[in-house]
Amino acid sequence: MKVPHAWKDRKKEMIVPHGPGHRTASKRPMWILVLISLVCISLIGAYIYPPRRYSSCYFFASSVCSPFKDWLPAINSRVLTDEEIASHVVIKDILAMPNVPSKNPKIAFMFLTPGTLPFERLWERFFLGHEGRFSIYVHASREKPVHVSPIFFGRDIRSDKVVWGKISMIDAEKRLLANALQDTDNQHFVLLSDSCIPLHNFDYIYNYLMGTNISFVDCFQDPGPHGNDRYSKHMLPEIEEDDFRKGSQWFSIKRQHAVLILADYLYYTKFKLYCKPGWEGRNCYADEHYLPTLFSMVDPTGIANWSITHVDWSEGKWHPKAYRAQDISYELLKNITSIDKSFHVTSDERKLVTETACMWNGMKRPCYLFARKFYPEALDNLMNLFSNYTAI
């Protein structure tokens, strides 16, 4: 069979070089290889040595990174549920809201109590002379309180039964917040129990709370049996185990955070369904985990991570130390008011202690404005010492 001359000529062109400048078809121009190498070196260098303003974002979870957070690659690529998307929109808008203007900003003191408040006379002395700068709300879950101070008359709200450790405790807190938020002058909201007392005078506490833009919500991570072991995988996908936090329920929050608590349905529902005593063989208490987890997820830089209400857990029991009449002294109260560091202890075998300085607008300040747990019998001794210890 004869091969056409045209095919022979094409074959020669493919095999025979056409001079010293010829390159075979299997090789690439050198300039392309050099360009690719330079690009790769540049990318590696940018990752290892990022620009100064971005470098801290690689190593620290800091608020300074927020203006550039969109520059960083997304860590979690999970597709959000419809409920999460809606919740994120609402929370974002609430946190972006400007403060409600008020010519007379007040603190809402919200008392969560089974019935009568044993320290009304002490609180009356605390409030006296500061009318118009505070509001009082009382949620009595068992019986109607008998008030001995006119300051507390007419301050009861519609209440419902509260069971320790169950979601009804959160419901009562939300009920108090809903009533207090109706007054637009209320700018800060303090949750107190029937066994709480003030540690400073009214002006000191008012200036402390009104002078900062954060909320005092206790929050820390506990990997032990009284912390993350209470977590349920039924909280997925919205709440992962790494999101689960613990803290004291006694909070003091700004108005935006109070509105956020009432607006939240997604995370609240998870705790209502899957955080309760006896669930899946573990005892989960919503009042210890719901708010710390919520704020750690949606506004971690907006909370102080400690409570301004002092509680002594040094006895290592299920309930904190309670002070009787003979325990009350000027030295005891002075010691509590001088504490300027917050401590958290994990419940695992390591018993890891975390120590945090209590910072107020960048300055170290005493941590506690209130304290509990005091027996009613301590009232007279506290009244005798009130003027002295609140001047500390």
Side-chain angles (χ1 to χ4, degrees):
M1 177 178 176
K2 292 184 178 181
V3 179
H5 289 288
W7 171 245
K8 288 181 180 180
D9 294 340
R10 182 174 296 181
K11 187 175 180 181
K12 289 179 181 179
E13 291 175 0
M14 295 174 62
I15 298 174
V16 181
H18 291 267
H22 174 77
R23 294 181 179 86
T24 60
S26 61
K27 295 183 179 180
R28 296 286 185 270
M30 183 60 70
W31 69 270
I32 295 180
L33 297 176
V34 173
L35 180 61
I36 293 174
S37 299
L38 290 174
V39 171
C40 292
I41 291 172
S42 299
L43 290 175
I44 293 171
Y47 183 81
I48 298 176
Y49 303 105
R52 183 176 299 273
R53 64 174 181 172
Y54 297 127
S55 59
S56 61
C57 298
Y58 276 82
F59 305 105
F60 302 99
S62 171
S63 58
V64 301
C65 300
S66 57
F68 315 112
K69 63 184 178 180
D70 294 334
W71 176 84
L72 297 173
I75 296 175
N76 188 358
S77 59
R78 176 176 67 82
V79 177
L80 301 181
T81 64
D82 292 342
E83 292 79 6
E84 280 181 290
I85 294 173
S87 178
H88 289 185
V89 169
V90 172
I91 290 172
K92 182 179 179 181
D93 280 357
I94 290 174
L95 294 177
M97 287 192 317
N99 291 330
V100 177
S102 171
K103 294 181 179 180
N104 184 37
K106 296 187 293 186
I107 297 175
F109 292 84
M110 308 180 303
F111 292 87
L112 183 56
T113 175
T116 297
L117 292 167
F119 296 109
E120 273 194 16
R121 288 198 294 131
L122 184 70
W123 283 104
E124 180 183 44
R125 185 178 294 187
F126 170 78
F127 289 125
L128 199 61
H130 302 285
E131 291 76 8
R133 301 170 70 194
F134 66 88
S135 302
I136 296 174
Y137 303 87
V138 180
H139 184 292
S141 60
R142 295 181 187 172
E143 58 188 22
K144 185 175 177 60
V146 176
H147 297 297
V148 297
S149 167
I151 291 179
F152 284 84
F153 289 169
R155 304 316 306 162
D156 302 334
I157 68 168
R158 188 194 71 77
S159 305
D160 207 346
K161 183 179 179 180
V162 173
V163 179
W164 178 78
K166 293 191 175 182
I167 199 67
S168 57
M169 187 78 76
I170 303 298
D171 294 337
E173 294 172 7
K174 295 177 72 170
R175 202 172 291 120
L176 281 163
L177 288 172
N179 279 270
L181 280 166
Q182 293 181 76
D183 186 343
T184 56
D185 287 333
N186 288 332
Q187 298 295 306
H188 214 94
F189 304 77
V190 181
L191 181 67
L192 300 161
S193 76
D194 55 309
S195 67
C196 282
I197 65 165
L199 291 174
H200 298 272
N201 60 54
F202 184 90
D203 283 330
Y204 182 95
I205 291 177
Y206 184 90
N207 293 332
Y208 193 110
L209 297 179
M210 290 299 192
T212 185
N213 194 37
I214 63 171
S215 292
F216 296 92
V217 177
D218 193 28
C219 177
F220 72 106
Q221 191 166 25
D222 179 3
H226 303 316
N228 276 34
D229 282 1
R230 296 173 175 176
Y231 170 80
S232 170
K233 292 188 181 299
H234 289 284
M235 293 185 175
L236 291 171
E238 293 85 356
I239 304 174
E240 299 180 0
E241 186 173 352
D242 286 344
D243 299 322
F244 201 66
R245 295 292 185 272
K246 181 182 179 180
S248 168
Q249 76 176 107
W250 308 106
F251 60 74
S252 175
I253 58 177
K254 60 183 182 179
R255 189 175 182 92
Q256 285 174 321
H257 284 162
V259 174
L260 192 154
I261 292 171
L262 291 189
D264 174 52
Y265 175 79
L266 176 65
Y267 302 107
Y268 165 82
T269 301
K270 290 288 184 176
F271 279 88
K272 181 177 181 179
L273 295 175
Y274 308 119
C275 180
K276 46 192 173 182
W279 173 256
E280 295 182 328
R282 56 172 67 92
N283 291 318
C284 183
Y285 307 109
D287 56 282
E288 292 184 8
H289 298 285
Y290 167 58
L291 290 184
T293 301
L294 173 66
F295 284 110
S296 177
M297 293 181 67
V298 304
D299 193 16
T301 61
I303 61 173
N305 294 319
W306 86 85
S307 170
I308 54 172
T309 299
H310 176 266
V311 184
D312 185 353
W313 289 97
S314 61
E315 295 180 339
K317 299 179 180 178
W318 279 101
H319 297 284
K321 177 179 174 60
Y323 301 100
R324 294 190 174 277
Q326 63 267 25
D327 299 321
I328 306 304
S329 67
Y330 175 81
E331 288 71 24
L332 168 69
L333 299 169
K334 182 179 179 180
N335 288 339
I336 295 175
T337 55
S338 65
I339 297 172
D340 58 7
K341 293 180 181 177
S342 172
F343 296 88
H344 292 123
V345 183
T346 63
S347 60
D348 58 353
E349 294 180 355
R350 296 182 302 163
K351 299 291 182 183
L352 184 65
V353 179
T354 304
E355 177 183 307
T356 305
C358 295
M359 304 300 293
W360 182 89
N361 292 348
M363 299 179 291
K364 197 171 184 179
R365 296 287 291 272
C367 299
Y368 302 114
L369 305 182
F370 311 98
R372 60 185 302 267
K373 194 173 183 180
F374 291 84
Y375 279 104
E377 64 185 56
L379 174 62
D380 289 340
N381 289 350
L382 288 169
M383 292 286 289
N384 292 333
L385 289 173
F386 180 80
S387 296
N388 291 328
Y389 80 78
T390 55
I392 298 174

